[in-house]
Amino acid sequence: MADKKKQGLILLAVFVAAAVIVSAFVHAGEDDFLTDPARVTASWQVEEVWQNGKRVNRSLILIDIDKNGGFRLDNDDRGEEQRGELKEVDGQLRFVGDDGWIYDIHGRQRQLVVTARKGEKEETWICQRYSYCRDALRTEEEQQEVFFQICKRALNIEDDTERNLYFLIMNMMDSGCPEGKAITAAKEFCIRGRAFVWYAEEHGIVVTDEAVEEYKREFAKIMKETPRAFEGYDVGLKKVGMTYEDYVQVEAAAHRWDVYESAVYRKYLAEQEDLGEDVVRRFHHTKAYQELKVELYDVIERIKEEL
């Protein structure tokens, strides 16, 4: 199960609210107990493992905690997944694994620390937030099912931009991202893409429709030929009556923006390090941007009807 998570089942730009964890406060005894899982609701990655005051090396350890106290642990060292409900014990949150390990949850502000112990063994895990978490107990199969249902609904939207924004917003929200942040992130992604289209056209950089279609065909081919990276896509697409080509069409607007951005970078990257930021900054002062703002308002209002 840990392999699936590392492969990134849903290949999206996941917008992370990162909180860098400093281990010093742990060893200084400044962490506090937690009784409300909502304070640490997120997907976390263990960055440091400490034993007897010394830092030790460990394989990848991932933790999901949802606001209802659902808890999921993927630990490569032990080779299996643990999941269940956090319980309040002695004024703190605790999870008791099927393998006999006990995990006590500590925190400070938006930081997470886990004390893992079994018998005489004890470890302190320093964790870094890397994404949102909506439901820690949902299985990979259940996540996948929702993902492809969103794909299917998006495919029925005629406008490419609206289809792509719907796809991004719904998937981010399904992952636990708040509605407002999901909408803002999707809009910024669209603005950047359209900015590169504008910039290319203004500077005589030609991108043909055939080049865009070839990019999409190649993307679908890669998906078909790399089943490990896209594990479950074949079954998931068939369940909702879609093909790989249909899936690529769901993100047709984003693929088009990628082709334009690549064309611009090929011509100007050597001349300007902050090209992306400069393109978006220039775009904000154009009539095309003002027109896009109106378009995005209408698109978002239609999408909100389904939220």
Side-chain angles (χ1 to χ4, degrees):
M1 299 298 285
D3 283 344
K4 288 185 180 181
K5 198 158 189 177
K6 285 183 287 183
Q7 291 158 9
L9 171 65
I10 300 174
L11 301 182
L12 300 171
V14 176
F15 296 87
V16 177
V20 176
I21 308 301
V22 179
S23 63
F25 81 87
V26 180
H27 308 295
E30 297 176 4
D31 55 312
D32 57 28
F33 296 126
L34 292 170
T35 57
D36 182 7
R39 287 185 58 191
V40 287
T41 294
S43 291
W44 303 86
Q45 180 170 327
V46 176
E47 293 293 309
E48 301 178 19
V49 177
W50 292 78
Q51 286 182 349
N52 301 319
K54 296 181 179 180
R55 184 172 179 176
V56 297
N57 293 325
R58 284 289 183 270
S59 299
L60 182 64
I61 303 175
L62 302 172
I63 297 172
D64 288 340
I65 301 175
D66 65 39
K67 65 180 181 180
N68 297 316
F71 181 89
R72 176 168 53 199
L73 169 69
D74 287 332
N75 188 340
D76 277 4
D77 284 330
R78 303 195 187 111
E80 62 181 34
E81 180 185 77
Q82 297 283 326
R83 65 171 67 215
E85 298 284 345
L86 288 169
K87 304 296 183 181
E88 184 179 339
V89 180
D90 299 328
Q92 65 184 37
L93 293 173
R94 175 175 294 173
F95 174 75
V96 179
D98 295 334
D99 57 1
W101 280 83
I102 297 173
Y103 305 91
D104 289 326
I105 309 301
H106 314 274
R108 184 167 182 255
Q109 298 177 351
R110 300 180 69 84
Q111 301 173 337
L112 182 73
V113 182
V114 177
T115 299
R117 54 190 172 84
K118 182 179 182 180
E120 297 297 320
K121 300 177 182 178
E122 183 172 310
E123 298 178 345
T124 299
W125 297 353
I126 313 302
C127 308
Q128 179 173 329
R129 179 191 305 264
Y130 73 92
S131 70
Y132 295 100
C133 176
R134 183 172 186 173
D135 186 348
L137 300 183
R138 189 165 59 177
T139 66
E140 299 288 348
E141 290 73 19
E142 290 169 337
Q143 292 181 29
Q144 194 179 70
E145 182 178 350
V146 174
F147 174 69
F148 287 112
Q149 288 172 351
I150 293 172
C151 288
K152 182 66 172 181
R153 291 197 297 272
L155 187 63
N156 294 325
I157 299 174
E158 293 185 5
D159 180 74
D160 282 349
T161 300
E162 181 175 347
R163 184 190 313 119
N164 190 69
L165 287 181
Y166 175 87
F167 177 74
L168 289 174
I169 291 170
M170 296 302 290
N171 274 298
M172 282 190 285
M173 290 182 61
D174 183 64
S175 298
C177 182
E179 176 183 322
K181 290 186 177 181
I183 290 173
T184 297
K187 287 170 62 177
E188 289 176 352
F189 180 73
C190 177
I191 290 169
R192 179 184 172 90
R194 294 282 282 269
F196 272 96
V197 174
W198 163 82
Y199 192 89
E201 293 174 346
E202 287 293 312
H203 291 79
I205 301 173
V206 178
V207 175
T208 65
D209 291 341
E210 177 55 32
V212 175
E213 291 304 313
E214 177 59 29
Y215 181 93
K216 290 159 59 178
R217 286 193 295 269
E218 185 62 25
F219 195 91
K221 180 182 177 183
I222 291 172
M223 293 180 69
K224 294 176 183 178
E225 294 178 351
T226 53
R228 180 173 175 81
F230 296 90
E231 185 176 354
Y233 273 57
D234 189 56
V235 173
L237 288 168
K238 287 179 180 177
K239 279 186 177 180
V240 295
M242 291 175 61
T243 65
Y244 283 101
E245 287 74 19
D246 291 332
Y247 172 78
V248 173
Q249 187 60 29
V250 168
E251 296 191 90
H255 294 312
R256 180 170 179 264
W257 300 334
D258 282 346
V259 176
Y260 272 91
E261 183 168 342
S262 295
V264 172
Y265 265 94
R266 281 196 300 271
K267 184 169 183 179
Y268 290 105
L269 181 58
E271 303 174 18
Q272 188 173 337
E273 293 183 0
D274 61 342
L275 179 60
E277 292 78 6
D278 184 60
V279 168
V280 174
R281 185 166 52 246
R282 290 170 181 265
F283 182 60
H284 274 81
H285 298 286
T286 67
K287 181 180 179 181
Y289 172 70
Q290 297 302 321
E291 293 173 346
L292 177 59
K293 286 177 60 177
V294 175
E295 178 186 346
L296 287 177
Y297 176 83
D298 293 337
V299 166
I300 297 300
E301 288 302 304
R302 289 195 294 270
I303 293 175
K304 281 183 177 180
E305 295 176 1
E306 293 200 33
L307 300 181

